[in-house]
Amino acid sequence: MRYAPRLIPAGSAPADALVEPLIAAPPRSPLGEHTLIPEVAWMIEQDGEFVHVPASERAQLAVMRGYAELTKLDGTLANETLDELPGVKLATNGAYAAEILLDPDHLTALHEILGFAAYLAAAPRRGRFLMGGVGAGLAGMREFVDRARREHDAAPLAERISPVALLVRGGAPTAVVGELQLAALAEAGL
């Protein structure tokens, strides 16, 4: 069995699909950006395509997680630097690149490499993971947020995941960083 937890646009799964939140109880935003946080849908391969797992299989979730680790090892990932953006910015490409947001070990390793307490991450489309340190300050964060939205909007509809940037802290995404948050940081002089 080939299982995979796939990031999907919020609210896009069928009503009877096994779906989990990427961030449990995210902080609310007056602009509604928290509603754009991707969801984690459990999928299984049938006839060469991944289809949604029914919510009735929730009891088998531990088994699915084990099989999913093997499935993710099937793909290869390639990194690239985004030199046109200020600060340390990387993109990872590959079949399960966007799902790096689901891997706390990978996110923790990025924390250690960057040396920042927090950084921004995004999964604008299938097979694409963006990561940016906040060391370039507010201008760098704004560029990152804009880049994530542009890549999302440029992707074919079926490949889009989410246009928002997520704040990663402690090896897990914890909140959305968008226009409202950037404006608040600017006002605070950060």
Side-chain angles (χ1 to χ4, degrees):
M1 302 290 279
R2 284 169 47 89
Y3 284 97
R6 306 305 301 261
L7 287 175
I8 60 169
S12 67
D16 65 340
L18 180 52
V19 177
E20 300 177 293
L22 177 62
I23 302 175
R28 299 279 176 200
S29 165
L31 297 181
E33 291 156 321
H34 65 279
T35 63
L36 300 174
I37 297 172
E39 293 179 318
V40 183
W42 283 88
M43 315 284 276
I44 186 171
E45 188 178 31
Q46 289 182 348
D47 300 322
E49 289 192 21
F50 280 97
V51 297
H52 285 279
V53 169
S56 59
E57 292 190 28
R58 180 170 294 278
Q60 297 296 319
L61 199 50
V63 173
M64 290 183 215
R65 289 186 194 281
Y67 281 123
E69 288 305 311
L70 296 175
T71 300
K72 286 192 295 183
L73 293 175
D74 287 351
T76 58
L77 299 177
N79 292 316
E80 66 179 280
T81 58
L82 303 176
D83 294 331
E84 71 276 15
L85 297 180
V88 179
K89 305 284 191 302
L90 298 173
T92 302
N93 302 293
Y96 298 97
E99 282 71 28
I100 286 174
L101 273 172
L102 307 178
D103 186 345
D105 291 338
H106 193 106
L107 297 180
T108 299
L110 288 175
H111 276 287
E112 293 171 4
I113 291 168
L114 292 172
F116 295 124
Y119 59 89
L120 301 181
R125 64 173 172 78
R126 174 77 48 231
R128 182 86 161 158
F129 172 76
L130 303 178
M131 181 279 304
V134 294
L138 195 56
M141 293 172 70
R142 188 173 304 281
E143 288 282 343
F144 184 89
V145 168
D146 290 345
R147 171 71 178 249
R149 184 166 293 280
R150 282 194 314 271
E151 286 200 17
H152 171 269
D153 293 348
L157 279 175
E159 298 296 311
R160 293 179 185 176
I161 297 177
S162 177
V164 298
L166 301 168
L167 180 71
V168 177
R169 187 189 316 259
T174 58
V176 172
V177 175
E179 277 305 313
L180 185 72
Q181 293 77 17
L182 291 172
L185 289 171
E187 191 171 305
L190 299 175

Short mmCIF file of all heavy atoms in Angstrom, two decimals, residues 26-76:
data_model
loop_
_atom_site.label_atom_id
_atom_site.label_comp_id
_atom_site.label_asym_id
_atom_site.label_seq_id
_atom_site.Cartn_x
_atom_site.Cartn_y
_atom_site.Cartn_z
N PRO A 26 -5.24 27.70 14.62
CA PRO A 26 -4.32 28.79 14.26
C PRO A 26 -4.83 30.13 14.77
O PRO A 26 -6.05 30.33 14.89
CB PRO A 26 -4.33 28.77 12.73
CG PRO A 26 -5.64 28.14 12.37
CD PRO A 26 -5.93 27.14 13.45
N PRO A 27 -3.93 31.06 15.08
CA PRO A 27 -4.37 32.39 15.49
C PRO A 27 -5.20 33.04 14.39
O PRO A 27 -4.87 32.93 13.22
CB PRO A 27 -3.05 33.16 15.69
CG PRO A 27 -2.01 32.11 15.85
CD PRO A 27 -2.48 30.93 15.07
N ARG A 28 -6.28 33.69 14.78
CA ARG A 28 -7.18 34.33 13.82
C ARG A 28 -6.57 35.60 13.25
O ARG A 28 -5.79 36.27 13.92
CB ARG A 28 -8.51 34.67 14.49
CG ARG A 28 -9.24 33.46 15.02
CD ARG A 28 -9.99 32.77 13.92
NE ARG A 28 -10.62 31.53 14.40
CZ ARG A 28 -11.00 30.56 13.61
NH1 ARG A 28 -10.80 30.66 12.32
NH2 ARG A 28 -11.58 29.50 14.09
N SER A 29 -6.93 35.91 12.02
CA SER A 29 -6.49 37.14 11.38
C SER A 29 -7.72 37.89 10.90
O SER A 29 -8.61 37.29 10.29
CB SER A 29 -5.58 36.84 10.19
OG SER A 29 -5.45 37.99 9.37
N PRO A 30 -7.80 39.20 11.16
CA PRO A 30 -8.95 39.97 10.68
C PRO A 30 -9.11 39.92 9.16
O PRO A 30 -10.20 40.12 8.64
CB PRO A 30 -8.64 41.40 11.13
CG PRO A 30 -7.73 41.24 12.30
CD PRO A 30 -6.91 40.01 12.00
N LEU A 31 -8.03 39.62 8.44
CA LEU A 31 -8.11 39.52 6.98
C LEU A 31 -8.45 38.11 6.52
O LEU A 31 -8.51 37.83 5.33
CB LEU A 31 -6.79 39.98 6.34
CG LEU A 31 -6.40 41.44 6.57
CD1 LEU A 31 -5.10 41.77 5.86
CD2 LEU A 31 -7.52 42.37 6.11
N GLY A 32 -8.64 37.20 7.46
CA GLY A 32 -9.03 35.83 7.11
C GLY A 32 -7.93 34.97 6.55
O GLY A 32 -8.20 33.92 5.96
N GLU A 33 -6.67 35.36 6.73
CA GLU A 33 -5.57 34.59 6.14
C GLU A 33 -5.45 33.19 6.73
O GLU A 33 -4.96 32.28 6.07
CB GLU A 33 -4.26 35.36 6.30
CG GLU A 33 -4.23 36.62 5.45
CD GLU A 33 -3.28 37.67 5.98
OE1 GLU A 33 -3.20 37.84 7.21
OE2 GLU A 33 -2.62 38.31 5.16
N HIS A 34 -5.89 33.03 7.99
CA HIS A 34 -5.78 31.70 8.61
C HIS A 34 -6.63 30.66 7.87
O HIS A 34 -6.35 29.48 7.94
CB HIS A 34 -6.20 31.76 10.08
CG HIS A 34 -7.64 32.12 10.27
ND1 HIS A 34 -8.09 33.41 10.21
CD2 HIS A 34 -8.73 31.35 10.48
CE1 HIS A 34 -9.39 33.43 10.40
NE2 HIS A 34 -9.81 32.20 10.55
N THR A 35 -7.64 31.11 7.13
CA THR A 35 -8.47 30.16 6.38
C THR A 35 -7.75 29.62 5.16
O THR A 35 -8.26 28.70 4.52
CB THR A 35 -9.79 30.83 5.94
OG1 THR A 35 -9.48 31.89 5.03
CG2 THR A 35 -10.58 31.35 7.11
N LEU A 36 -6.57 30.16 4.83
CA LEU A 36 -5.79 29.69 3.66
C LEU A 36 -4.70 28.70 4.05
O LEU A 36 -3.94 28.27 3.21
CB LEU A 36 -5.16 30.90 2.95
CG LEU A 36 -6.15 31.94 2.42
CD1 LEU A 36 -5.40 33.14 1.87
CD2 LEU A 36 -7.06 31.34 1.37
N ILE A 37 -4.61 28.35 5.34
CA ILE A 37 -3.60 27.38 5.78
C ILE A 37 -3.93 26.02 5.16
O ILE A 37 -5.07 25.55 5.25
CB ILE A 37 -3.57 27.27 7.31
CG1 ILE A 37 -3.16 28.61 7.92
CG2 ILE A 37 -2.61 26.17 7.76
CD1 ILE A 37 -3.29 28.66 9.44
N PRO A 38 -2.96 25.38 4.50
CA PRO A 38 -3.25 24.07 3.88
C PRO A 38 -3.72 23.06 4.92
O PRO A 38 -3.44 23.17 6.11
CB PRO A 38 -1.90 23.64 3.29
CG PRO A 38 -1.04 24.84 3.31
CD PRO A 38 -1.57 25.77 4.35
N GLU A 39 -4.41 22.06 4.43
CA GLU A 39 -4.81 20.93 5.27
C GLU A 39 -4.03 19.69 4.85
O GLU A 39 -3.48 19.64 3.75
CB GLU A 39 -6.31 20.66 5.13
CG GLU A 39 -7.17 21.78 5.69
CD GLU A 39 -8.65 21.52 5.51
OE1 GLU A 39 -9.06 21.05 4.43
OE2 GLU A 39 -9.39 21.80 6.46
N VAL A 40 -3.98 18.71 5.74
CA VAL A 40 -3.28 17.46 5.47
C VAL A 40 -4.32 16.40 5.13
O VAL A 40 -5.14 16.04 5.98
CB VAL A 40 -2.46 17.01 6.69
CG1 VAL A 40 -1.67 15.74 6.35
CG2 VAL A 40 -1.54 18.12 7.16
N ALA A 41 -4.32 15.95 3.89
CA ALA A 41 -5.25 14.91 3.46
C ALA A 41 -4.51 13.59 3.33
O ALA A 41 -3.42 13.55 2.75
CB ALA A 41 -5.89 15.29 2.12
N TRP A 42 -5.09 12.54 3.88
CA TRP A 42 -4.47 11.22 3.73
C TRP A 42 -4.95 10.59 2.44
O TRP A 42 -6.14 10.56 2.15
CB TRP A 42 -4.79 10.36 4.95
CG TRP A 42 -3.93 10.79 6.07
CD1 TRP A 42 -4.20 11.77 6.98
CD2 TRP A 42 -2.61 10.33 6.35
NE1 TRP A 42 -3.12 11.94 7.81
CE2 TRP A 42 -2.14 11.07 7.46
CE3 TRP A 42 -1.77 9.37 5.78
CZ2 TRP A 42 -0.86 10.86 8.00
CZ3 TRP A 42 -0.52 9.16 6.32
CH2 TRP A 42 -0.07 9.91 7.42
N MET A 43 -3.98 10.12 1.65
CA MET A 43 -4.26 9.60 0.32
C MET A 43 -3.69 8.19 0.19
O MET A 43 -2.74 7.83 0.89
CB MET A 43 -3.63 10.50 -0.75
CG MET A 43 -3.81 11.98 -0.56
SD MET A 43 -5.44 12.59 -0.97
CE MET A 43 -5.27 12.79 -2.72
N ILE A 44 -4.26 7.43 -0.72
CA ILE A 44 -3.74 6.09 -1.03
C ILE A 44 -3.70 5.95 -2.54
O ILE A 44 -4.54 6.49 -3.25
CB ILE A 44 -4.61 4.98 -0.39
CG1 ILE A 44 -3.97 3.61 -0.58
CG2 ILE A 44 -6.02 5.00 -0.95
CD1 ILE A 44 -4.63 2.51 0.19
N GLU A 45 -2.68 5.24 -3.01
CA GLU A 45 -2.52 5.06 -4.45
C GLU A 45 -3.45 3.96 -4.95
O GLU A 45 -3.46 2.85 -4.42
CB GLU A 45 -1.08 4.71 -4.79
CG GLU A 45 -0.82 4.71 -6.29
CD GLU A 45 0.62 4.40 -6.63
OE1 GLU A 45 1.26 3.65 -5.88
OE2 GLU A 45 1.10 4.91 -7.64
N GLN A 46 -4.23 4.29 -5.97
CA GLN A 46 -5.08 3.31 -6.64
C GLN A 46 -4.92 3.51 -8.14
O GLN A 46 -5.15 4.61 -8.65
CB GLN A 46 -6.55 3.48 -6.24
CG GLN A 46 -6.84 3.07 -4.83
CD GLN A 46 -8.32 3.21 -4.48
OE1 GLN A 46 -9.08 3.81 -5.22
NE2 GLN A 46 -8.71 2.65 -3.36
N ASP A 47 -4.51 2.46 -8.82
CA ASP A 47 -4.32 2.53 -10.28
C ASP A 47 -3.41 3.68 -10.69
O ASP A 47 -3.68 4.40 -11.66
CB ASP A 47 -5.68 2.65 -10.99
CG ASP A 47 -6.58 1.47 -10.69
OD1 ASP A 47 -6.06 0.34 -10.61
OD2 ASP A 47 -7.79 1.68 -10.53
N GLY A 48 -2.34 3.89 -9.94
CA GLY A 48 -1.35 4.90 -10.30
C GLY A 48 -1.67 6.32 -9.87
O GLY A 48 -0.89 7.22 -10.12
N GLU A 49 -2.81 6.53 -9.21
CA GLU A 49 -3.17 7.87 -8.75
C GLU A 49 -3.50 7.83 -7.26
O GLU A 49 -4.03 6.84 -6.75
CB GLU A 49 -4.38 8.40 -9.52
CG GLU A 49 -4.09 8.75 -10.96
CD GLU A 49 -5.21 9.54 -11.59
OE1 GLU A 49 -6.01 10.15 -10.84
OE2 GLU A 49 -5.28 9.55 -12.82
N PHE A 50 -3.18 8.94 -6.57
CA PHE A 50 -3.52 9.02 -5.16
C PHE A 50 -4.93 9.57 -5.00
O PHE A 50 -5.29 10.59 -5.60
CB PHE A 50 -2.52 9.92 -4.42
CG PHE A 50 -1.25 9.22 -4.08
CD1 PHE A 50 -0.14 9.35 -4.89
CD2 PHE A 50 -1.17 8.40 -2.97
CE1 PHE A 50 1.04 8.69 -4.58
CE2 PHE A 50 0.00 7.73 -2.65
CZ PHE A 50 1.11 7.88 -3.47
N VAL A 51 -5.74 8.86 -4.24
CA VAL A 51 -7.12 9.26 -3.97
C VAL A 51 -7.31 9.39 -2.47
O VAL A 51 -6.56 8.84 -1.67
CB VAL A 51 -8.12 8.23 -4.55
CG1 VAL A 51 -8.01 8.15 -6.06
CG2 VAL A 51 -7.91 6.86 -3.93
N HIS A 52 -8.35 10.13 -2.07
CA HIS A 52 -8.60 10.39 -0.65
C HIS A 52 -8.94 9.10 0.10
O HIS A 52 -9.62 8.21 -0.42
CB HIS A 52 -9.74 11.38 -0.49
CG HIS A 52 -9.35 12.79 -0.81
ND1 HIS A 52 -8.69 13.59 0.08
CD2 HIS A 52 -9.51 13.53 -1.93
CE1 HIS A 52 -8.47 14.77 -0.47
NE2 HIS A 52 -8.95 14.76 -1.69
N VAL A 53 -8.45 9.03 1.33
CA VAL A 53 -8.79 7.95 2.25
C VAL A 53 -10.06 8.36 2.99
O VAL A 53 -10.17 9.50 3.44
CB VAL A 53 -7.63 7.71 3.25
CG1 VAL A 53 -8.06 6.78 4.37
CG2 VAL A 53 -6.42 7.15 2.53
N PRO A 54 -11.03 7.46 3.14
CA PRO A 54 -12.24 7.81 3.87
C PRO A 54 -11.96 8.09 5.36
O PRO A 54 -11.09 7.46 5.96
CB PRO A 54 -13.13 6.57 3.73
CG PRO A 54 -12.51 5.72 2.69
CD PRO A 54 -11.07 6.11 2.59
N ALA A 55 -12.70 9.00 5.92
CA ALA A 55 -12.54 9.35 7.34
C ALA A 55 -12.78 8.15 8.25
O ALA A 55 -12.25 8.09 9.36
CB ALA A 55 -13.49 10.49 7.71
N SER A 56 -13.54 7.17 7.78
CA SER A 56 -13.82 5.97 8.59
C SER A 56 -12.55 5.15 8.86
O SER A 56 -12.56 4.28 9.74
CB SER A 56 -14.86 5.10 7.88
OG SER A 56 -14.38 4.70 6.61
N GLU A 57 -11.46 5.42 8.14
CA GLU A 57 -10.22 4.68 8.35
C GLU A 57 -9.29 5.35 9.35
O GLU A 57 -8.12 4.98 9.47
CB GLU A 57 -9.49 4.48 7.02
CG GLU A 57 -10.22 3.54 6.08
CD GLU A 57 -9.39 3.16 4.87
OE1 GLU A 57 -8.14 3.14 4.98
OE2 GLU A 57 -9.99 2.87 3.82
N ARG A 58 -9.79 6.33 10.11
CA ARG A 58 -8.97 7.06 11.08
C ARG A 58 -8.27 6.11 12.05
O ARG A 58 -7.15 6.37 12.48
CB ARG A 58 -9.81 8.08 11.85
CG ARG A 58 -9.02 8.87 12.86
CD ARG A 58 -9.81 10.03 13.43
NE ARG A 58 -10.11 11.06 12.45
CZ ARG A 58 -9.25 12.01 12.09
NH1 ARG A 58 -8.04 12.05 12.61
NH2 ARG A 58 -9.59 12.91 11.19
N ALA A 59 -8.90 5.01 12.41
CA ALA A 59 -8.30 4.06 13.36
C ALA A 59 -7.00 3.46 12.81
O ALA A 59 -6.15 3.00 13.58
CB ALA A 59 -9.29 2.95 13.69
N GLN A 60 -6.82 3.48 11.49
CA GLN A 60 -5.62 2.92 10.86
C GLN A 60 -4.54 3.98 10.64
O GLN A 60 -3.55 3.72 9.95
CB GLN A 60 -6.00 2.31 9.51
CG GLN A 60 -6.96 1.15 9.61
CD GLN A 60 -6.34 -0.02 10.37
OE1 GLN A 60 -5.18 -0.34 10.19
NE2 GLN A 60 -7.12 -0.62 11.25
N LEU A 61 -4.69 5.16 11.25
CA LEU A 61 -3.79 6.28 10.95
C LEU A 61 -2.33 5.96 11.29
O LEU A 61 -1.43 6.34 10.55
CB LEU A 61 -4.25 7.53 11.71
CG LEU A 61 -3.74 8.87 11.23
CD1 LEU A 61 -3.93 9.04 9.73
CD2 LEU A 61 -4.41 10.00 11.97
N ALA A 62 -2.08 5.25 12.38
CA ALA A 62 -0.70 4.92 12.74
C ALA A 62 -0.05 4.05 11.65
O ALA A 62 1.12 4.25 11.30
CB ALA A 62 -0.65 4.20 14.08
N VAL A 63 -0.80 3.11 11.11
CA VAL A 63 -0.28 2.26 10.03
C VAL A 63 -0.02 3.10 8.79
O VAL A 63 1.01 2.96 8.12
CB VAL A 63 -1.28 1.13 9.72
CG1 VAL A 63 -0.83 0.33 8.50
CG2 VAL A 63 -1.43 0.22 10.93
N MET A 64 -0.96 4.00 8.47
CA MET A 64 -0.79 4.86 7.29
C MET A 64 0.47 5.70 7.41
O MET A 64 1.19 5.89 6.44
CB MET A 64 -2.01 5.80 7.15
CG MET A 64 -3.27 5.11 6.74
SD MET A 64 -4.57 6.36 6.54
CE MET A 64 -5.97 5.44 7.11
N ARG A 65 0.72 6.23 8.61
CA ARG A 65 1.91 7.07 8.80
C ARG A 65 3.19 6.28 8.50
O ARG A 65 4.13 6.79 7.91
CB ARG A 65 1.95 7.62 10.22
CG ARG A 65 0.89 8.67 10.49
CD ARG A 65 1.06 9.29 11.88
NE ARG A 65 -0.10 10.03 12.28
CZ ARG A 65 -0.40 11.27 11.88
NH1 ARG A 65 0.41 11.89 11.04
NH2 ARG A 65 -1.48 11.88 12.30
N GLY A 66 3.23 5.02 8.90
CA GLY A 66 4.40 4.19 8.62
C GLY A 66 4.58 3.94 7.13
O GLY A 66 5.69 4.08 6.60
N TYR A 67 3.50 3.59 6.44
CA TYR A 67 3.57 3.38 5.00
C TYR A 67 3.94 4.68 4.28
O TYR A 67 4.64 4.66 3.26
CB TYR A 67 2.24 2.86 4.45
CG TYR A 67 2.03 1.38 4.67
CD1 TYR A 67 0.91 0.92 5.35
CD2 TYR A 67 2.94 0.45 4.16
CE1 TYR A 67 0.70 -0.44 5.54
CE2 TYR A 67 2.73 -0.91 4.35
CZ TYR A 67 1.61 -1.35 5.04
OH TYR A 67 1.41 -2.69 5.23
N ALA A 68 3.46 5.80 4.80
CA ALA A 68 3.73 7.09 4.15
C ALA A 68 5.21 7.41 4.17
O ALA A 68 5.73 8.00 3.22
CB ALA A 68 2.94 8.19 4.85
N GLU A 69 5.91 7.04 5.23
CA GLU A 69 7.35 7.28 5.28
C GLU A 69 8.06 6.56 4.13
O GLU A 69 8.97 7.10 3.51
CB GLU A 69 7.93 6.83 6.63
CG GLU A 69 7.55 7.73 7.78
CD GLU A 69 7.91 9.19 7.54
OE1 GLU A 69 9.07 9.45 7.16
OE2 GLU A 69 7.05 10.05 7.71
N LEU A 70 7.63 5.34 3.84
CA LEU A 70 8.22 4.59 2.73
C LEU A 70 7.87 5.24 1.40
O LEU A 70 8.70 5.33 0.50
CB LEU A 70 7.73 3.14 2.75
CG LEU A 70 8.13 2.31 3.97
CD1 LEU A 70 7.49 0.94 3.91
CD2 LEU A 70 9.64 2.20 4.07
N THR A 71 6.64 5.72 1.27
CA THR A 71 6.22 6.36 0.02
C THR A 71 7.04 7.62 -0.24
O THR A 71 7.49 7.86 -1.36
CB THR A 71 4.72 6.72 0.09
OG1 THR A 71 3.97 5.52 0.27
CG2 THR A 71 4.27 7.41 -1.19
N LYS A 72 7.26 8.43 0.80
CA LYS A 72 8.00 9.68 0.62
C LYS A 72 9.44 9.43 0.20
O LYS A 72 10.04 10.26 -0.47
CB LYS A 72 7.96 10.52 1.89
CG LYS A 72 6.61 11.17 2.14
CD LYS A 72 6.67 12.21 3.23
CE LYS A 72 7.00 11.63 4.56
NZ LYS A 72 7.00 12.62 5.63
N LEU A 73 9.99 8.28 0.58
CA LEU A 73 11.37 7.95 0.20
C LEU A 73 11.49 7.64 -1.29
O LEU A 73 12.58 7.62 -1.83
CB LEU A 73 11.88 6.77 1.03
CG LEU A 73 12.05 7.04 2.53
CD1 LEU A 73 12.44 5.75 3.25
CD2 LEU A 73 13.10 8.10 2.77
N ASP A 74 10.35 7.41 -1.96
CA ASP A 74 10.38 7.10 -3.39
C ASP A 74 10.83 8.30 -4.23
O ASP A 74 11.39 8.13 -5.29
CB ASP A 74 8.99 6.68 -3.88
CG ASP A 74 8.60 5.30 -3.40
OD1 ASP A 74 9.47 4.61 -2.84
OD2 ASP A 74 7.44 4.92 -3.58
N GLY A 75 10.53 9.49 -3.77
CA GLY A 75 10.82 10.68 -4.56
C GLY A 75 12.19 11.25 -4.26
O GLY A 75 12.79 10.96 -3.24
N THR A 76 12.68 12.06 -5.16
CA THR A 76 13.94 12.74 -4.92
C THR A 76 13.65 14.23 -4.79
O THR A 76 12.74 14.76 -5.42
CB THR A 76 14.94 12.51 -6.07
OG1 THR A 76 14.35 12.95 -7.29
CG2 THR A 76 15.29 11.04 -6.19
#
